[in-house]
Amino acid sequence: IERLCSLQDVLSKPEIRRVVGSIGELPSLSTTYTCLTQAVSDPDSCINEIAGIIEEDVAMSAKVLQLANSAFFGLAQKVTTLSNAVSYLGMQTIKNLALASEAFRVLRPHSRIPLSVCESIEKHAHRVAVIASALPMDKRNRDVTVIAALLHDIGKLFLASSMPDQFYSVFLHFRERGCRPFEAEEELLGTSHAEIGAYLLGLWGIPSLTVEAIAHHHHPTRISNSGFDCTAVVYLADLLDHELEAHPLDSIGAEMEESDRANLEALGVLPKFAEFRELALQSRN
């Protein structure tokens, strides 16, 4: 209850409402996804019905199968049909993969933003999901954590597609200040892509555990963590990917920010950072 209240406090801040409200109409999802959501909520729905809904959208079908076969789910064999994908991963996970497919489709960059920027964001999201799947966690939350990792930067795509001026200003600001992008966002917008993405996904009906992990993935200690939970894993996986991109040849993070060191210490994982870094490194090979 305390964590849910904390999430609501973060997502109800006027800064987020001002940013999201400034664009007018929010991106809308396809009728296929709407039908899929309704079917997953129906206890009488069957695997073939769920698969049949997705199959009506060729692009979504291809993307969902691609994501289902990605390394972060570690299926023993490649799934070639949507029925098999639903059977192996479950209806809720398939619905969330369909949402990931939709999000990457509808949140395309504004013409002023190079397409390569969003391609980079999506590649980073895939790497973070792979790293998250390689870290030790409660198996009951594994799929939820992977989905949160996959969607953790969706707020960046939202800014690139709907608020190109602000997106470009943030880019210039963190380059000039030498700070991190989310810090530049907080300075200029009063909030960051983490909270913006969580707010949008909440409107789209993503489960609260996933929304929570996305909202706090730069500030995991804003909530009381219960062990190495979903929020902690997504934060660490994101940190590890950024660290490996910046220092791929170092045996351990060379220039870790003090705030990250404090977060890792508060989460109780600082002594194992080198071990987790090695797991992340292996997952990228």
Side-chain angles (χ1 to χ4, degrees), residues 3-283:
R3 288 176 62 148
L4 281 172
C5 290
S6 296
L7 178 62
Q8 289 304 312
D9 287 343
V10 168
L11 299 186
S12 63
K13 287 184 176 180
E15 292 85 355
I16 298 178
R17 295 182 181 274
R18 186 186 68 249
V19 170
V20 176
S22 67
I23 69 161
E25 188 176 348
L26 291 173
S28 58
L29 301 176
S30 68
T31 54
T32 301
Y33 180 76
T34 302
C35 292
L36 180 63
T37 300
Q38 293 171 348
V40 170
S41 301
D42 184 351
D44 295 326
S45 293
C46 64
I47 289 174
N48 289 336
E49 182 179 352
I50 298 299
I53 292 171
I54 302 175
E55 285 170 348
E56 293 179 4
D57 187 320
V58 176
M60 182 184 289
S61 298
K63 189 67 174 181
V64 168
L65 280 175
Q66 177 194 12
L67 292 172
N69 284 299
S70 295
F72 35 80
F73 285 115
L75 297 180
Q77 60 187 38
K78 183 175 181 178
V79 292
T80 56
T81 68
L82 285 165
S83 294
N84 284 341
V86 178
S87 178
Y88 281 119
L89 297 176
M91 293 183 183
Q92 188 63 48
T93 296
I94 289 297
K95 188 201 85 166
N96 290 338
L97 288 182
L99 175 61
S101 169
E102 279 288 274
F104 290 127
R105 180 183 66 83
V106 302
L107 298 176
R108 304 311 295 166
H110 190 274
S111 58
R112 292 180 55 197
I113 306 296
L115 183 60
S116 59
V117 171
C118 288
E119 290 174 345
S120 175
I121 293 171
E122 187 169 349
K123 287 178 181 178
H124 167 66
H126 279 253
R127 293 196 305 267
V128 172
V130 171
I131 292 172
S133 69
L135 296 175
M137 71 179 90
D138 189 331
K139 292 183 179 179
R140 292 171 297 180
N141 293 332
R142 188 175 185 278
D143 288 358
V144 172
T145 303
V146 166
I147 294 296
L150 186 63
L151 293 170
H152 77 284
D153 273 352
I154 212 69
K156 283 186 179 181
L157 294 180
F158 176 80
L159 291 172
S161 64
S162 302
M163 305 181 71
D165 290 339
Q166 290 85 341
F167 185 88
Y168 190 64
S169 295
V170 166
F171 176 79
L172 292 178
H173 192 65
F174 82 77
R175 282 293 183 89
E176 291 170 358
R177 288 261 288 101
C179 61
R180 291 180 287 184
F182 80 89
E183 294 170 333
E185 291 167 352
E186 290 172 347
E187 290 179 13
L188 293 180
L189 304 177
T191 186
S192 80
H193 66 271
E195 295 83 8
I196 293 169
Y199 186 92
L200 180 62
L201 291 171
L203 294 178
W204 281 348
I206 275 283
S208 60
L209 187 61
T210 303
V211 173
E212 178 186 67
I214 291 168
H216 301 304
H217 79 264
H218 290 303
H219 302 290
T221 57
R222 284 194 301 210
I223 55 174
S224 56
N225 297 89
S226 52
F228 200 42
D229 59 12
C230 182
T231 298
V233 172
V234 173
Y235 163 74
L236 181 57
D238 180 51
L239 175 64
L240 284 167
D241 186 65
H242 284 303
E243 198 274 337
L244 286 172
E245 286 293 295
H247 309 288
L249 301 180
D250 296 328
S251 59
I252 191 169
E255 299 178 4
M256 186 185 297
E257 297 280 347
E258 281 303 314
S259 59
D260 287 320
R261 188 174 296 277
N263 285 334
L264 292 171
E265 190 169 6
L267 294 172
V269 296
L270 184 58
K272 293 187 175 182
F273 185 77
E275 176 185 335
F276 291 153
R277 188 185 189 280
E278 183 60 31
L279 289 174
L281 191 59
Q282 291 173 8
S283 74

